[in-house]
Amino acid sequence: MGKLLKITLVGIILAFVGERIIRFRERLEASRTLDPVELPNCHLLKGIEAGSEDIDILPNGLAFISAGLKYPGIKCFAPDKPGEIFLLDLTDENPVPSPLKISPGFDVASFNPHGISTYIDRKDDTVYLFVVNHPQFQSTVELFKFVEEENVLQHLKTIRHDLLSSINDLVAMGPDSFYATNDHYFLNPIMRKLEMFLGLGWAYVVYYSPKEVKEVAANFYFANGINVSPDNKHIYIADLVGHDIHVLRKNPDWSLTPVKVLHVDTLVDNLFVDPTTGDIWSGCHPNGWKLFFYDPDDLPGSEVIRVQNILSENPIVTQVYANNGSVLQGSSVASVYDGKLLVGTVFHRALYCDLKDL
Ligand SMILES: *[C@@H]1O[C@H](CO)[C@@H](O)[C@H](O)[C@H]1NC(C)=O
């Protein structure tokens, strides 16, 4: 090979890698510094010390919190303790989270809960809880029935599927159907890092029912939180490192049609939809480096945003809370109920705030 050709090739490769590094940096960071935004009536919840990654709330004010996530490359404060689902009654004056018992037969030792979603069957008011689980770092969906009188989760079934190889979050559509985000294409830890570094955009969304399983949306860098609008017409999907919230229309055959993309200058994790206002609340990561490369001397912060009128021409995005990690590290979800705000985190604690006087 001629010398000139070699130099040209090396130049092209360096330019490609350089461009990828710049893009990777952009994807992992918000383009601004994080100024604190404080809320007056907040405290950390007792008993939650190793994550509260996702939160869903029933119409009666009972909140489910998934705790103790072990996720490749992410900090964990209790690596030997199985994950749990906590219950918190938001109608209490001073709510205290308590871990839910799980019916015998389910392998609680390998329980590693991630995204969760509730579904109420109006026929008989049965409450179902769908939980993304990573036993031995695999991906399954566990379907539970919530028996409120006994405070027990009764395990109904485990769902596995080739298209659900790296599930992050899900939103229930029926007593045994859901949409789920698959956050990576690759399973191998090195290939996963490379996938994110190269920005391949191979993450996707799946519709699952016992009769049919299909890919319904694709080309996400890191498909993360997913939820549905209160009128059941639109699906919202967070692309964590794309810094975007995607709005898609739900079709009768469960396929999804892209409607719009809202760019928010932060890494959007789970999405919570306020059933009364339709507002989208999200726990976000202002700096992905600090989340993926944990350094106790340079903590990952927390940020809560609220999006109003996402379908309108001018959605309003409000930064409701921001903290540099001194109080709360790695916020991943923000859920509201009757003037109360619950902020969950990937691996840290959970913050409870009373918004009434705001
Ligand atoms: C983090 O924020 C707190 C409160 O806003 C402040 O006192 C502290 O100096 C900040 N720490 C760093 C490392 O910036």
Side-chain angles (χ1 to χ4, degrees):
M1 215 183 324
K3 203 172 177 189
L4 192 61
L5 185 60
K6 274 189 202 155
I7 290 170
T8 311
L9 275 180
V10 169
I12 290 172
I13 291 167
L14 285 181
F16 175 76
V17 172
E19 189 262 353
R20 288 290 131 170
I21 289 172
I22 291 167
R23 292 246 166 272
F24 184 58
R25 284 204 74 98
E26 283 172 1
R27 281 194 295 269
L28 279 193
E29 278 175 28
S31 66
R32 59 194 155 78
T33 54
L34 187 72
D35 297 322
V37 177
E38 287 174 11
L39 287 170
N41 306 309
C42 298
H43 67 263
L44 294 166
L45 287 174
K46 280 208 179 69
I48 296 186
E49 318 270 337
S52 44
E53 207 275 338
D54 200 7
I55 299 169
D56 203 4
I57 305 174
L58 294 175
N60 65 6
L62 287 180
F64 295 94
I65 303 171
S66 74
L69 176 65
K70 289 139 202 94
Y71 188 92
I74 297 275
K75 180 74 187 165
C76 180
F77 286 126
D80 300 322
K81 195 168 179 263
E84 287 173 307
I85 303 290
F86 282 90
L87 190 72
L88 186 74
D89 188 348
L90 290 170
T91 62
D92 277 357
E93 190 78 16
N94 277 308
V96 179
S98 60
L100 277 171
K101 285 198 289 285
I102 297 181
S103 61
F106 180 74
D107 181 13
V108 288
S110 69
F111 194 32
N112 187 6
H114 195 173
I116 60 174
S117 179
T118 57
Y119 183 83
I120 302 174
D121 194 341
R122 291 295 170 198
K123 282 205 300 280
D124 51 8
D125 287 332
T126 305
V127 177
Y128 294 97
L129 182 71
F130 291 71
V131 180
V132 173
N133 187 16
H134 302 295
Q136 288 89 33
F137 294 111
Q138 297 161 8
S139 277
T140 63
V141 172
E142 311 295 347
L143 180 57
F144 297 98
K145 181 175 148 181
F146 175 53
V147 187
E148 191 178 340
E149 310 74 59
E150 301 164 34
N151 266 348
V152 164
L153 288 174
Q154 188 187 333
H155 186 246
L156 301 178
K157 65 175 169 179
T158 298
I159 297 166
R160 286 188 181 81
H161 194 277
D162 286 347
L163 279 178
L164 301 170
S165 55
S166 179
I167 326 175
N168 191 296
D169 190 23
L170 80 181
V171 57
M173 286 290 122
D176 52 9
S177 62
F178 56 83
Y179 288 107
T181 52
N182 211 69
D183 59 18
H184 286 73
Y185 175 81
F186 292 108
L187 296 180
N188 175 291
I190 293 165
M191 292 306 286
R192 285 164 79 91
K193 285 254 160 41
L194 197 64
E195 179 181 351
M196 200 158 77
F197 173 70
L198 292 175
L200 296 178
W202 288 0
Y204 56 88
V205 176
V206 170
Y207 171 72
Y208 177 95
S209 79
K211 287 198 203 101
E212 184 186 27
V213 186
K214 61 184 179 184
E215 188 182 298
V216 285
N219 301 118
F220 300 94
Y221 292 116
F222 191 125
N224 202 306
I226 184 163
N227 221 317
V228 64
S229 61
D231 64 7
N232 212 24
K233 287 185 180 151
H234 292 95
I235 296 292
Y236 306 131
I237 299 162
D239 191 334
L240 181 81
V241 291
H243 308 183
D244 291 322
I245 300 174
H246 294 248
V247 181
L248 300 94
R249 195 177 59 244
K250 194 157 85 43
N251 301 315
D253 67 353
W254 302 100
S255 65
L256 298 175
T257 307
V259 174
K260 70 187 286 184
V261 180
L262 179 70
H263 191 74
V264 284
D265 191 12
T266 185
L267 282 75
V268 211
D269 202 317
N270 286 300
L271 303 174
F272 177 85
V273 179
D274 183 333
T276 45
T277 61
D279 296 348
I280 301 172
W281 289 74
S282 182
C284 304
H285 308 286
N287 189 317
W289 292 103
K290 298 186 187 181
L291 177 72
F292 289 110
F293 306 98
Y294 188 80
D295 175 0
D297 296 324
D298 188 17
L299 297 170
S302 288
E303 184 173 35
V304 171
I305 61 166
R306 178 187 62 195
V307 182
Q308 293 167 290
N309 307 321
I310 192 158
L311 286 172
S312 75
E313 278 193 20
N314 297 304
I316 302 164
V317 182
T318 312
Q319 191 190 32
V320 177
Y321 176 77
N323 174 261
N324 61 13
S326 58
V327 176
L328 199 67
Q329 304 174 26
S331 57
S332 54
V333 62
S335 305
V336 289
Y337 179 83
D338 191 26
K340 279 112 180 177
L341 168 68
L342 271 179
V343 188
T345 63
V346 183
F347 57 84
H348 192 229
R349 306 191 61 180
L351 193 70
Y352 171 87
C353 302
D354 196 331
L355 302 178
K356 283 234 170 70
D357 301 331
L358 245 72

